[in-house]
Amino acid sequence: MAEVLLKNIKKIYTDNESRKKGRGKFRQQPKEGEEEKKVSLQITDEGVVAVQEFNLDIKDKEFIVLVGPSGCGKSTTLRMIAGLEEITSGELYIDGNLVNNVEPKDRDIAMVFQSYALYPHMTVYDNMAYSLKIKHVDKAEIDRKVREAAEILDITQYLDRKPKALSGGQRQRVAIGRAIVRNPKVLLMDEPLSNLDAKLRNQMRSEIIKLRKKINTTFVYVTHDQIEAMTLGDRIVVMKDGYIQQIGTPQEVFDHPANLFVSGFIGTPQMNYFDAELVIREGSYYVETKGISVKLAEDKQLRLKENDVKAQPVTLGVRPEHLTIAEEGINGQVEVSELMGSSLHLHMTVDGKDVICIVPTEGRKVNYDGKQLKLAFTGDVAHVFSREDQHNLEY
Amino acid sequence: MKKDINTVAAIKLLISRLVVYGILIFLTFLCLFFFYLMFINASRSNAQLQAGFTMIPGGNTIKNFVNAWHDTNISIPVGMKNSFIVASLSAVLTSYFSALTAYGTYVYDFKYKKAVHLFILAIMMIPSQVSAVGFIQLAFKYHLTNKLWMLIIPSIAAPSVYFYMRQYLEATLPLEMVEAARIDGSNEFRIFNEIVLPIMKPAIAVQMIFSFVGSWNNYFMPSLLLNDLQKKTVPVMIATLRSADFTKFDMGKVYMLMVMAILPVMIIYVILSKSIIKGVTSGSVKG
């Protein structure tokens, strides 16, 4: 139940601290490609820059999702809000109060950790009651609040158990219960679902949506999973290398990605890219690639005109679901086709580049393997990105 | 053909088991035989003992016990009490403060943290006999001999216990748990006492046994510091008996005293070993 305002937040790990961060052996094992991403963080004389120019105004009761690849600074940002990391520069306000130097316990926040971080020697009840006990809350009141939270999360029958007697999903509920029991101003969640298996993750995701309706508080949620980001967030913040790439509602980010990175990160399968030319004919913008020319939609025309965009070579992005098989279009050869049930994912090569196209099956079985197809798209789904700095030319 | 392979495998397994069990039985024998011998000897008279050793218990158990109990050179109840005070207090304090130190260097970041860690470990390399000379001089200069706390306080600073605790923390304590407790509103000292200490129970139990036994059996320091009968610990008393009047020397009595000396150690071991076997961290984080 509070606004959170981040003003020009910056985090630099001095050499000493960055070494400590490397020690994080309790975090998940680095995923493929994480190492190289870590290296891409800026290393200056002062140390490793983890977060830069972070400006965000989180409204009361809003659900904000910070999303980005591993090592993009999203967890660091969350930990700065929690008070677990020092803020190198910038200002952090919770409920209008500057809290840069306030201890975590005095910020009235709660946090759910990826590894749950339950106290192993305490029962579920004691785990949830711990924060209230420290505050010397009346015993009957503690009991009421713990049972209420347990009721919401459906863990009442496990209250007497120790964490080790619970499954992963149940432990996660306890961890959430421990956070909501004190009615925090801000609820922070650091990749809470990434330790769960796929089925349980889907289930817990919808539980979190339900939970949100039951408890009125501000959520800040960190994930590297773009599906979680899209489904949970009121607004999502896409980050890369310590910089915010785009802030917007899931729909905005999906429909109008601010740059090449966001367009590729949000949406599965990934957006397809083609080398193309942006040309102006009779006052209208066209994209031309592989022998086809497509006139961009009206709203795109307007925005490009507003920005006074010149004709130039561009990177054209089209989502797999927006590519259609047509009589005329880009030549491609199907390499592999994956049946996903209601649709078919065609993995194709176009001039040596991989392109994915999603076609509905409509119950029919068509064998596309090895076939030559022509792909087309319309002017309202084409995204044009600058070759120079990769930003979306419309914005 | 098939059957043959199976028979060969069964014989191989049998042989390897025979070898393994043979080695284990031999090692067990090495460990337990001397205990057995001690109990046997404690039940025999001095004359019997000097005649040679046997495996059969003698009938002098009670007599030896009475003799040992009533010896005027020593006082078993006093010795036991002194030993117990020294051993239990050093065990508790050593493990607690070593755990606290280990927690400090593990969880917190401060300047020269590595240097502090190395310094503590470097102390481990100095034999206690070397530092004992200065320590004894200090004790005599300030008239601190015959004080039990002079044995307890220095034992608190135990680099090897610190090292063990530090290793244990690195392996079992996720920093996220400390952070979770911080967010829950706990202060740092409380986090250590309420969250970290229970997690370290097995390590503390192990170190308590070691330091209890070490302190209980310690002869070197007490023999230098204690000469008042009312302050002597059990090992010092056994030594007193051995070096007592040659004509009245009774081996049976000495053996009986040894039996009495190791019994408390065995009891402590049985009590604490339960918590060593039981691991407590499982279930705290995804594992």
Side-chain angles (χ1 to χ4, degrees):
Chain A
M1 288 178 289
E3 271 183 38
V4 181
L5 184 62
L6 297 100
K7 258 192 192 164
N8 213 3
I9 296 282
K10 188 174 186 180
K11 175 71 190 179
I12 297 175
Y13 286 109
T14 56
D15 285 348
N16 198 20
E17 275 178 288
S18 55
R19 239 183 277 131
K20 177 191 165 197
K21 227 201 160 197
R23 185 180 66 182
K25 59 176 87 116
F26 300 107
R27 286 162 204 289
Q28 263 199 330
Q29 286 300 306
K31 296 214 170 48
E32 219 177 305
E34 177 167 82
E35 278 314 305
E36 59 192 273
K37 267 162 197 156
K38 279 233 165 98
V39 175
S40 68
L41 286 179
Q42 287 186 42
I43 297 167
T44 63
D45 291 343
E46 296 160 280
V48 181
V49 180
V51 178
Q52 286 221 67
E53 294 167 30
F54 197 102
N55 285 294
L56 178 64
D57 184 358
I58 303 171
K59 292 183 193 67
D60 191 16
K61 290 172 195 167
E62 195 174 357
F63 199 124
I64 285 280
V65 179
L66 305 180
V67 64
S70 302
C72 71
K74 56 193 191 302
S75 278
T76 306
T77 307
L78 191 79
R79 290 166 60 80
M80 283 193 282
I81 300 176
L84 297 170
E85 299 272 356
E86 254 176 67
I87 297 168
T88 309
S89 70
E91 288 162 356
L92 171 69
Y93 295 88
I94 295 177
D95 231 4
N97 303 315
L98 185 68
V99 293
N100 277 33
N101 299 316
V102 177
E103 294 270 312
K105 63 186 164 81
D106 301 322
R107 292 193 186 190
D108 200 6
I109 41 124
M111 185 157 166
V112 178
F113 292 86
Q114 181 184 345
S115 65
Y116 321 138
L118 299 175
Y119 312 129
H121 55 290
M122 297 185 188
T123 61
V124 169
Y125 184 96
D126 289 334
N127 260 289
M128 289 166 72
Y130 188 63
S131 62
L132 298 173
K133 269 183 197 154
I134 288 168
K135 280 191 193 161
H136 302 292
V137 177
D138 182 51
K139 261 203 173 147
E141 178 76 0
I142 292 180
D143 193 63
R144 193 185 61 76
K145 283 188 167 173
V146 169
R147 285 185 193 284
E148 195 181 282
E151 194 73 36
I152 291 176
L153 292 158
D154 200 17
I155 48 174
T156 311
Q157 65 270 42
Y158 308 123
L159 283 178
D160 297 331
R161 289 203 198 165
K162 294 238 173 109
K164 68 177 165 204
L166 300 176
S167 69
Q170 289 161 346
R171 282 181 208 172
Q172 191 53 267
R173 280 162 205 260
V174 177
I176 294 173
R178 185 172 66 178
I180 64 172
V181 76
R182 20 193 285 240
N183 234 340
K185 276 184 190 166
V186 186
L187 184 53
L188 307 172
M189 295 180 150
D190 190 1
E191 309 215 9
L193 305 184
S194 54
N195 271 347
L196 304 176
D197 62 60
K199 197 178 161 201
L200 207 53
R201 199 179 308 162
N202 281 342
Q203 194 191 332
M204 280 305 285
R205 211 168 57 212
S206 57
E207 297 270 339
I208 289 177
I209 297 174
K210 278 188 232 160
L211 177 76
R212 200 219 155 165
K213 285 176 187 151
K214 286 181 197 158
I215 57 165
N216 259 329
T217 190
T218 311
F219 281 76
V220 183
Y221 187 105
V222 161
T223 181
H224 61 262
D225 183 312
Q226 51 100 10
I227 298 176
E228 274 172 39
M230 297 286 286
T231 50
L232 291 171
D234 291 334
R235 280 193 297 162
I236 62 186
V237 179
V238 186
M239 291 181 74
K240 185 196 171 197
D241 296 349
Y243 284 97
I244 292 180
Q245 302 292 314
Q246 189 171 8
I247 304 174
T249 64
Q251 195 69 51
E252 276 166 17
V253 175
F254 186 80
D255 289 344
H256 310 288
N259 57 37
L260 207 59
F261 171 77
V262 176
S263 73
F265 193 77
I266 300 293
T268 43
Q270 213 188 345
M271 189 182 267
N272 299 306
Y273 300 108
F274 305 93
D275 290 333
E277 287 286 333
L278 185 69
V279 294
I280 306 172
R281 255 182 273 141
E282 294 152 9
S284 296
Y285 287 96
Y286 289 79
V287 276
E288 294 188 347
T289 182
K290 324 271 181 218
I292 63 165
S293 178
V294 175
K295 189 182 176 187
L296 293 176
E298 274 312 307
D299 57 327
K300 288 183 189 279
Q301 299 278 357
L302 280 175
R303 281 195 288 267
L304 289 171
K305 260 174 212 156
E306 255 172 46
N307 291 350
D308 198 22
V309 176
K310 306 264 183 318
Q312 57 184 294
V314 291
T315 302
L316 165 70
V318 184
R319 295 200 182 276
E321 55 270 40
H322 295 147
L323 282 174
T324 51
I325 299 164
E327 300 289 311
E328 284 297 309
I330 307 165
N331 279 317
Q333 173 151 15
V334 180
E335 299 282 328
V336 180
S337 66
E338 294 176 320
L339 180 64
M340 310 302 274
S342 58
S343 65
L344 202 59
H345 289 190
L346 302 178
H347 293 255
M348 312 171 65
T349 43
V350 173
D351 286 353
K353 272 188 170 178
D354 290 335
V355 167
I356 300 177
C357 167
I358 300 179
V359 291
T361 55
E362 290 161 4
R364 282 176 294 121
K365 199 182 167 206
V366 186
N367 190 6
Y368 286 102
D369 284 355
K371 273 194 181 165
Q372 291 279 346
L373 297 173
K374 286 184 191 299
L375 299 172
F377 58 90
T378 53
D380 54 343
V381 295
H383 304 275
V384 284
F385 300 100
S386 156
R387 285 266 178 92
E388 278 161 26
D389 58 4
Q390 308 193 329
H391 83 281
N392 193 331
L393 288 169
E394 291 175 44
Y395 303 97
Chain B
M1 204 47 194
K2 249 184 190 174
K3 206 178 177 184
D4 274 350
I5 293 171
N6 200 23
T7 326
V8 170
I11 291 168
K12 270 187 186 168
L13 189 69
L14 187 73
I15 292 170
S16 70
R17 278 198 182 152
L18 279 177
V19 172
V20 168
Y21 280 110
I23 293 170
L24 289 177
I25 288 166
F26 177 66
L27 291 177
T28 315
F29 173 77
L30 281 188
C31 291
L32 295 181
F33 179 66
F34 303 99
F35 282 99
Y36 178 73
L37 213 59
M38 188 182 65
F39 282 107
I40 296 295
N41 285 349
S43 68
R44 301 171 75 207
S45 71
N46 193 36
Q48 282 171 322
L49 281 165
Q50 274 170 355
F53 97 99
T54 109
M55 302 288 281
I56 307 141
N60 274 31
T61 316
I62 295 165
K63 200 177 152 220
N64 281 342
F65 183 80
V66 173
N67 279 346
W69 195 268
H70 290 294
D71 195 298
T72 46
N73 286 322
I74 58 166
S75 167
I76 291 165
V78 170
M80 288 275 183
K81 192 193 79 190
N82 289 341
S83 277
F84 191 77
I85 291 173
V86 173
S88 55
L89 277 180
S90 13
V92 169
L93 295 175
T94 305
S95 346
Y96 182 79
F97 284 103
S98 298
L100 195 60
T101 316
Y103 179 75
T105 62
Y106 175 58
V107 170
Y108 299 108
D109 259 328
F110 49 89
K111 248 188 179 173
Y112 310 122
K113 169 170 146 169
K114 217 166 185 183
V116 168
H117 181 65
L118 286 176
F119 176 72
I120 295 175
L121 293 188
I123 295 172
M124 211 152 65
M125 290 164 205
I126 303 171
S128 61
Q129 284 82 350
V130 172
S131 53
V133 178
F135 183 70
I136 296 295
Q137 279 183 343
L138 183 95
F140 274 96
K141 189 166 182 186
Y142 292 99
H143 308 290
L144 296 172
T145 52
N146 284 320
K147 300 235 184 320
L148 291 182
W149 60 261
M150 277 298 276
L151 292 171
I152 298 166
I153 304 289
S155 72
I156 291 173
S160 55
V161 183
Y162 157 81
F163 184 66
Y164 183 88
M165 297 291 186
R166 170 79 196 248
Q167 295 297 325
Y168 189 83
L169 275 180
E170 275 178 25
T172 56
L173 182 75
L175 288 175
E176 286 191 345
M177 204 182 296
V178 177
E179 287 170 350
R182 271 183 202 151
I183 287 178
D184 269 350
S186 197
N187 67 41
E188 298 299 314
F189 196 52
R190 203 166 168 179
I191 293 175
F192 177 74
N193 286 326
E194 290 183 357
I195 308 291
V196 179
L197 219 47
I199 290 170
M200 295 188 75
K201 247 194 203 151
I204 287 175
V206 169
Q207 287 307 323
M208 269 170 78
I209 288 179
F210 287 161
S211 47
F212 186 92
V213 174
S215 178
W216 183 273
N217 292 338
N218 192 7
Y219 171 71
F220 179 64
M221 268 295 177
S223 70
L224 293 173
L225 277 177
L226 311 172
N227 47 40
D228 179 353
L229 177 62
Q230 290 306 310
K231 296 290 178 188
K232 278 182 181 172
T233 56
V234 175
V236 183
M237 284 188 179
I238 295 175
T240 318
L241 260 195
R242 280 207 55 195
S243 55
D245 191 356
F246 181 70
T247 50
K248 279 193 275 173
F249 183 61
D250 182 357
M251 280 275 259
K253 198 164 69 178
V254 175
Y255 274 117
M256 179 47 81
L257 199 55
M258 283 181 190
V259 169
M260 285 192 256
I262 67 158
L263 275 179
V265 177
M266 285 182 164
I267 293 167
I268 292 285
Y269 184 80
V270 169
I271 294 170
L272 289 181
S273 60
K274 266 185 205 157
S275 45
I276 302 175
I277 297 158
K278 205 170 99 185
V280 275
T281 42
S282 54
S284 75
V285 293
K286 172 105 176 171

